[in-house]
Amino acid sequence: MGDLFRVAIHYGNDNGYIEYDPASKNIKVVLGNREKQQAVEKYLHQEHVFRMAKNTLEDFEAETLIPTDSVDALEVVLTHLWEYTEVLVDWSRPISC
């Protein structure tokens, strides 16, 4: 089993986390608010197209990302999580599981 990637999330006063296993490509969402948990799970199991900077900050190309493909793809997709689910990613909060 590879190293798990974990990041804290919250919705209001409800704290949780997202866990990604790069070896199995499985994503697990833990959040007490069932509706928001399902919204995050749905968002993280979809393909997303983002305009990504390439050679300069003025040179953008559309790139399709699938969050389960890699930690890098997941991290980019998570930067837009709030826009679609109103669930915040707490990048600096430590996770204790």
Side-chain angles (χ1 to χ4, degrees):
M1 175 191 260
D3 292 327
L4 297 176
F5 169 82
R6 290 188 184 111
V7 66
I9 57 174
H10 80 269
Y11 176 73
N13 291 324
D14 188 9
N15 294 313
Y17 64 93
I18 296 169
E19 180 178 276
Y20 173 66
D21 181 353
S24 66
K25 300 203 180 284
N26 287 326
I27 293 177
K28 173 179 158 183
V29 179
V30 175
L31 191 63
N33 183 307
R34 184 76 176 136
E35 180 182 332
K36 290 300 180 178
Q37 177 183 347
Q38 290 173 338
V40 172
E41 287 170 344
K42 180 179 178 183
Y43 175 76
L44 294 177
H45 285 90
Q46 295 175 339
E47 208 174 77
H48 301 277
V49 178
F50 297 111
R51 290 178 33 86
M52 307 285 283
K54 293 299 173 185
N55 299 318
T56 70
L57 292 177
E58 296 176 352
D59 179 22
F60 289 88
E61 290 180 16
E63 189 172 330
T64 301
L65 298 175
I66 300 169
T68 55
D69 279 355
S70 68
V71 171
D72 290 339
L74 176 60
E75 287 178 331
V76 172
V77 171
L78 286 174
T79 64
H80 296 269
L81 183 66
W82 167 258
E83 293 175 64
Y84 297 94
T85 66
E86 297 181 342
V87 173
L88 287 169
V89 177
D90 293 331
W91 297 101
S92 62
R93 186 165 50 95
I95 309 280
S96 57
C97 297

